[in-house]
Amino acid sequence: DAKTTQPNSMESNEEEPVHLPCNHSTISGTDYIHWYRQLPSQGPEYVIHGLTSNVNNRMASLAIAEDRKSSTLILHRATLRDAAVYYCILRGYSGGGADGLTFGKGTHLIIQP
Amino acid sequence: EADIYQTPRYLVIGTGKKITLECSQTMGHDKMYWYQQDPGMELHLIHYSYGVNSTEKGDLSSESTVSRIRTEHFPLTLESARPSHTSQYLCASSEFGRATEAFFGQGTRLTVV
């Protein structure tokens, strides 16, 4: 599976937008970009996914670079409840296996009140 | 609200005991996964299944075993628990495909003393 690179941690203030970057320079044309987050003491939860176009849902927006080698998860107005570890994952055809549901270290997002 | 359940949430057990961690989902998903996560560390895939009677080993070698006799049920068993098995175990399920959302349980925190 193609790998992703994320900053270890980021800090933001409450009620401000947060931009979480992810680099995936070896992405293939069939890989979907997924984001999950894991709140303290909980299992991961799905946030958003996309292929080529930018995507919006009730939780966040996903901005995908034109060459697809990077993407940015955007939280429009962070709250204290958004403090979590955010994972950027590529899901593609891996010739078998778990459809690329493989987690890296993620970005630990800290929200300051 | 995710319809995937893990029991127990917490388990403290003595060395040498046989344990089974339960995972059930009511969404009819064919794919199911088990992950192991130590505190503050990333998730590691240890087992997955494509459907009934299918089980595969994940990226991280594990002494645990799994079975998939029913679509909704994917239990994990340790024949003889050891302190090195102390960790959090997370179960997940999804439909097939790169653009599907995975749902995670709350996890079982296992301590072997």
Side-chain angles (χ1 to χ4, degrees):
Chain A
D1 297 319
K3 296 189 70 162
T4 62
T5 305
Q6 300 177 252
N8 288 333
S9 66
M10 289 184 64
E11 199 166 311
S12 184
N13 295 320
E14 197 175 11
E15 298 189 5
E16 289 185 358
V18 180
H19 291 237
L20 295 164
C22 181
N23 287 319
H24 28 79
S25 58
T26 60
I27 190 171
S28 77
T30 56
D31 286 341
Y32 277 79
I33 302 159
H34 287 247
W35 284 81
Y36 284 76
R37 72 179 186 180
Q38 186 174 21
L39 280 66
S41 301
Q42 297 199 23
E45 65 174 343
Y46 167 83
V47 177
I48 200 167
H49 77 272
L51 183 62
T52 57
S53 303
N54 295 344
V55 184
N56 300 297
N57 67 19
R58 64 175 180 82
M59 287 181 71
S61 295
L62 176 60
I64 301 172
E66 199 168 330
D67 63 4
R68 298 204 335 122
K69 293 184 186 299
S70 66
S71 61
T72 302
L73 179 71
I74 303 164
L75 307 179
H76 294 286
R77 199 159 167 263
T79 70
L80 296 177
R81 289 175 294 179
D82 291 321
V85 179
Y86 286 78
Y87 299 97
C88 171
I89 296 164
L90 300 183
R91 295 196 74 179
Y93 293 122
S94 58
D99 288 343
L101 200 57
T102 302
F103 290 77
K105 295 188 185 331
T107 296
H108 184 200
L109 178 63
I110 299 163
I111 304 295
Q112 298 288 359
Chain B
E1 192 75 23
D3 295 318
I4 180 164
Y5 308 100
Q6 291 186 243
T7 56
R9 284 293 310 275
Y10 302 92
L11 179 62
V12 181
I13 200 159
T15 298
K17 299 291 188 184
K18 178 180 179 179
I19 58 170
T20 296
L21 308 184
E22 302 289 349
C23 176
S24 295
Q25 50 98 4
T26 60
M27 296 170 282
H29 289 164
D30 284 316
K31 292 208 75 170
M32 295 190 74
Y33 316 77
W34 275 103
Y35 293 84
Q36 183 175 343
Q37 184 179 36
D38 293 329
M41 305 297 285
E42 60 200 270
L43 287 84
H44 292 286
L45 180 69
I46 52 175
H47 299 282
Y48 60 96
S49 167
Y50 292 112
V52 171
N53 295 325
S54 156
T55 61
E56 304 285 344
K57 292 193 179 296
D59 306 319
L60 180 70
S61 176
S62 173
E63 294 172 343
S64 59
T65 59
V66 292
S67 62
R68 189 88 183 274
I69 298 171
R70 302 198 316 266
T71 297
E72 62 271 22
H73 197 212
F74 192 39
L76 181 145
T77 298
L78 279 164
E79 290 292 333
S80 179
R82 294 209 297 266
S84 61
H85 297 141
T86 295
S87 189
Q88 175 162 251
Y89 294 84
L90 289 152
C91 180
S93 73
S94 76
E95 295 177 351
F96 280 102
R98 300 162 292 144
T100 59
E101 173 184 352
F103 295 86
F104 282 78
Q106 294 277 59
T108 294
R109 187 165 297 281
L110 172 67
T111 303
V112 183
V113 297

